[in-house]
Amino acid sequence: MLSIKRIYEGPDLEDGYRVLVDKLWPRGISKERAKLDYWAKGITPSTELRKYFCHDADKFEEFSKGYIFELDNNEASVEFINLIKDKLNEGNVTLIYAAKDPHINHAKVLKEWIEQKL
């Protein structure tokens, strides 16, 4: 199963393989507490797109389109998809993010994009 989860919720056994999908390290979280298996900096939204979005719900649809375009044109995406596919064959994979809103964030867009690719 592929899921997303805020890093501030903390790890649990159901998470399986934990992948941080933020470009910047989350505030107030130590590497020990994060219990991550991988940090996927290469597939995060560009700085320009992230700054444009600024977690504004009115910009989420446009942000999503831009992020999908970036993912579709990112060389790192192929390797990332293959990693996720391999890890899903072994068990659960959880995409870890720090954004406050669970409904409008890049991890949600990334999860949906991965599911379409698989």
Side-chain angles (χ1 to χ4, degrees), residues 1-115:
M1 182 171 87
L2 180 64
S3 59
I4 63 173
K5 182 178 185 179
R6 282 192 81 219
I7 195 160
Y8 302 104
E9 294 176 37
D12 65 47
L13 294 175
E14 295 299 312
D15 291 345
Y17 191 78
R18 291 171 51 89
V19 181
L20 179 63
V21 294
D22 282 347
K23 188 174 297 244
L24 305 174
W25 188 262
R27 289 183 185 176
I29 299 290
S30 69
K31 291 186 179 182
E32 293 78 27
R33 183 175 160 208
K35 300 218 183 298
L36 298 172
D37 295 297
Y38 183 66
W39 186 1
K41 293 182 212 177
I43 53 83
T44 61
S46 66
T47 300
E48 297 79 17
L49 189 58
R50 200 169 33 88
K51 286 181 178 180
Y52 160 78
F53 174 42
C54 199
H55 301 282
D56 180 343
D58 293 336
K59 296 179 180 178
F60 185 64
E61 185 176 337
E62 193 66 30
F63 165 79
S64 297
K65 290 177 186 175
Y67 185 33
I68 289 168
F69 178 82
E70 289 181 354
L71 287 167
D72 285 341
N73 292 282
N74 183 344
E75 292 178 14
S77 292
V78 174
E79 184 179 323
F80 181 72
I81 285 289
N82 289 335
L83 170 70
I84 298 303
K85 184 178 180 180
D86 289 346
K87 295 301 178 181
L88 283 170
N89 285 331
E90 298 171 13
N92 294 338
V93 173
T94 303
L95 306 177
I96 306 297
Y97 67 97
K100 291 179 183 177
D101 192 320
H103 304 292
I104 58 163
N105 64 66
H106 73 285
K108 180 179 177 187
V109 176
L110 179 59
K111 178 182 181 283
E112 291 170 1
W113 180 81
I114 292 169
E115 289 170 341

